[in-house]
Short mmCIF file of all heavy atoms in Angstrom, two decimals:
data_model
loop_
_atom_site.label_atom_id
_atom_site.label_comp_id
_atom_site.label_asym_id
_atom_site.label_seq_id
_atom_site.Cartn_x
_atom_site.Cartn_y
_atom_site.Cartn_z
N ILE K 177 55.52 299.29 -84.25
CA ILE K 177 56.11 300.60 -84.47
C ILE K 177 55.81 301.16 -85.87
O ILE K 177 55.38 302.32 -86.01
CB ILE K 177 57.61 300.56 -84.23
CG1 ILE K 177 57.92 300.34 -82.74
CG2 ILE K 177 58.30 301.82 -84.73
CD1 ILE K 177 59.39 300.21 -82.43
N VAL K 178 56.03 300.35 -86.91
CA VAL K 178 55.98 300.85 -88.28
C VAL K 178 54.61 301.34 -88.73
O VAL K 178 54.51 302.41 -89.37
CB VAL K 178 56.55 299.80 -89.26
CG1 VAL K 178 56.34 300.22 -90.70
CG2 VAL K 178 58.04 299.57 -88.98
N PRO K 179 53.50 300.61 -88.49
CA PRO K 179 52.21 301.06 -88.99
C PRO K 179 51.81 302.46 -88.52
O PRO K 179 51.24 303.23 -89.30
CB PRO K 179 51.22 300.00 -88.47
CG PRO K 179 52.05 298.76 -88.33
CD PRO K 179 53.39 299.28 -87.84
N GLY K 180 52.12 302.79 -87.28
CA GLY K 180 51.81 304.13 -86.80
C GLY K 180 52.62 305.20 -87.52
O GLY K 180 52.10 306.29 -87.83
N LEU K 181 53.86 304.91 -87.82
CA LEU K 181 54.69 305.87 -88.55
C LEU K 181 54.19 306.01 -89.99
O LEU K 181 54.19 307.12 -90.55
CB LEU K 181 56.15 305.41 -88.55
CG LEU K 181 56.82 305.33 -87.17
CD1 LEU K 181 58.24 304.76 -87.29
CD2 LEU K 181 56.87 306.72 -86.51
N GLU K 182 53.76 304.90 -90.57
CA GLU K 182 53.19 304.96 -91.92
C GLU K 182 51.87 305.75 -91.94
O GLU K 182 51.63 306.53 -92.85
CB GLU K 182 52.97 303.54 -92.45
CG GLU K 182 52.43 303.45 -93.86
CD GLU K 182 53.46 303.84 -94.93
OE1 GLU K 182 54.65 304.00 -94.58
OE2 GLU K 182 53.06 303.98 -96.08
N LEU K 183 51.06 305.55 -90.92
CA LEU K 183 49.82 306.30 -90.79
C LEU K 183 50.08 307.80 -90.70
O LEU K 183 49.42 308.61 -91.33
CB LEU K 183 49.04 305.83 -89.56
CG LEU K 183 47.76 306.54 -89.22
CD1 LEU K 183 46.70 306.25 -90.27
CD2 LEU K 183 47.24 306.10 -87.82
N GLU K 184 51.10 308.15 -89.91
CA GLU K 184 51.45 309.57 -89.75
C GLU K 184 51.92 310.15 -91.08
O GLU K 184 51.55 311.27 -91.43
CB GLU K 184 52.56 309.70 -88.71
CG GLU K 184 53.00 311.12 -88.45
CD GLU K 184 54.06 311.20 -87.37
OE1 GLU K 184 54.85 310.22 -87.24
OE2 GLU K 184 54.14 312.24 -86.68
N LYS K 185 52.67 309.39 -91.85
CA LYS K 185 53.17 309.88 -93.12
C LYS K 185 52.04 310.08 -94.12
O LYS K 185 52.01 311.08 -94.85
CB LYS K 185 54.18 308.89 -93.68
CG LYS K 185 54.83 309.33 -94.98
CD LYS K 185 55.90 308.36 -95.44
CE LYS K 185 55.31 307.09 -95.99
NZ LYS K 185 56.34 306.18 -96.57
N ARG K 186 51.07 309.16 -94.13
CA ARG K 186 49.97 309.27 -95.08
C ARG K 186 48.99 310.38 -94.68
O ARG K 186 48.49 311.12 -95.55
CB ARG K 186 49.24 307.93 -95.17
CG ARG K 186 50.07 306.81 -95.75
CD ARG K 186 49.24 305.52 -95.81
NE ARG K 186 50.01 304.37 -96.28
CZ ARG K 186 49.56 303.13 -96.39
NH1 ARG K 186 48.29 302.88 -96.04
NH2 ARG K 186 50.32 302.18 -96.84
N GLY K 187 48.63 310.44 -93.43
CA GLY K 187 47.76 311.50 -92.94
C GLY K 187 46.29 311.25 -93.22
O GLY K 187 45.49 312.21 -93.23
N TYR K 188 45.88 310.01 -93.42
CA TYR K 188 44.46 309.69 -93.58
C TYR K 188 44.18 308.28 -93.04
O TYR K 188 45.10 307.47 -92.91
CB TYR K 188 44.02 309.78 -95.07
CG TYR K 188 44.92 309.01 -96.03
CD1 TYR K 188 44.78 307.63 -96.20
CD2 TYR K 188 45.88 309.68 -96.78
CE1 TYR K 188 45.61 306.95 -97.07
CE2 TYR K 188 46.70 309.00 -97.68
CZ TYR K 188 46.54 307.63 -97.81
OH TYR K 188 47.36 306.92 -98.71
N ARG K 189 42.90 308.05 -92.75
CA ARG K 189 42.50 306.77 -92.12
C ARG K 189 42.37 305.62 -93.08
O ARG K 189 42.47 304.45 -92.65
CB ARG K 189 41.18 306.95 -91.37
CG ARG K 189 41.27 307.73 -90.09
CD ARG K 189 39.95 307.67 -89.34
NE ARG K 189 39.98 308.37 -88.06
CZ ARG K 189 39.01 308.33 -87.14
NH1 ARG K 189 37.90 307.64 -87.43
NH2 ARG K 189 39.13 308.98 -86.02
N LEU K 190 42.13 305.86 -94.32
CA LEU K 190 41.93 304.75 -95.26
C LEU K 190 43.12 303.81 -95.23
O LEU K 190 44.28 304.20 -95.17
CB LEU K 190 41.74 305.30 -96.70
CG LEU K 190 40.38 305.91 -97.02
CD1 LEU K 190 40.39 306.49 -98.40
CD2 LEU K 190 39.27 304.88 -96.88
N GLY K 191 42.79 302.50 -95.24
CA GLY K 191 43.84 301.50 -95.15
C GLY K 191 44.22 301.15 -93.73
O GLY K 191 45.08 300.31 -93.51
N ASN K 192 43.56 301.75 -92.77
CA ASN K 192 43.81 301.49 -91.35
C ASN K 192 42.49 301.38 -90.65
O ASN K 192 41.44 301.61 -91.25
CB ASN K 192 44.72 302.58 -90.75
CG ASN K 192 45.56 302.08 -89.60
OD1 ASN K 192 45.05 301.50 -88.65
ND2 ASN K 192 46.87 302.29 -89.71
N ALA K 193 42.50 301.02 -89.37
CA ALA K 193 41.24 300.87 -88.65
C ALA K 193 41.48 300.94 -87.15
O ALA K 193 42.56 300.60 -86.66
CB ALA K 193 40.57 299.54 -89.00
N ARG K 194 40.47 301.35 -86.44
CA ARG K 194 40.57 301.47 -84.98
C ARG K 194 40.88 300.10 -84.34
O ARG K 194 41.74 299.99 -83.48
CB ARG K 194 39.25 302.02 -84.41
CG ARG K 194 39.25 302.15 -82.91
CD ARG K 194 37.96 302.83 -82.40
NE ARG K 194 37.87 304.20 -82.86
CZ ARG K 194 36.92 304.65 -83.71
NH1 ARG K 194 36.00 303.81 -84.18
NH2 ARG K 194 36.90 305.90 -84.08
N ILE K 195 40.21 299.04 -84.83
CA ILE K 195 40.42 297.73 -84.25
C ILE K 195 41.85 297.24 -84.49
O ILE K 195 42.42 296.57 -83.65
CB ILE K 195 39.39 296.73 -84.83
CG1 ILE K 195 39.53 295.36 -84.16
CG2 ILE K 195 39.54 296.57 -86.33
CD1 ILE K 195 39.25 295.34 -82.68
N LEU K 196 42.43 297.61 -85.63
CA LEU K 196 43.80 297.21 -85.91
C LEU K 196 44.78 297.85 -84.93
O LEU K 196 45.73 297.20 -84.43
CB LEU K 196 44.17 297.55 -87.35
CG LEU K 196 45.56 297.11 -87.81
CD1 LEU K 196 45.70 295.60 -87.72
CD2 LEU K 196 45.83 297.60 -89.22
N ASN K 197 44.58 299.11 -84.61
CA ASN K 197 45.44 299.78 -83.66
C ASN K 197 45.28 299.22 -82.26
O ASN K 197 46.28 299.16 -81.52
CB ASN K 197 45.17 301.28 -83.69
CG ASN K 197 45.73 301.96 -84.90
OD1 ASN K 197 46.91 302.22 -85.00
ND2 ASN K 197 44.87 302.27 -85.86
#
Side-chain angles (χ1 to χ4, degrees):
I177 291 177
V178 172
L181 297 176
E182 182 71 9
L183 177 68
E184 181 179 29
K185 183 176 74 173
R186 294 180 184 179
Y188 51 80
R189 286 188 177 188
L190 284 175
N192 208 305
R194 181 174 293 115
I195 184 63
L196 183 60
N197 285 282

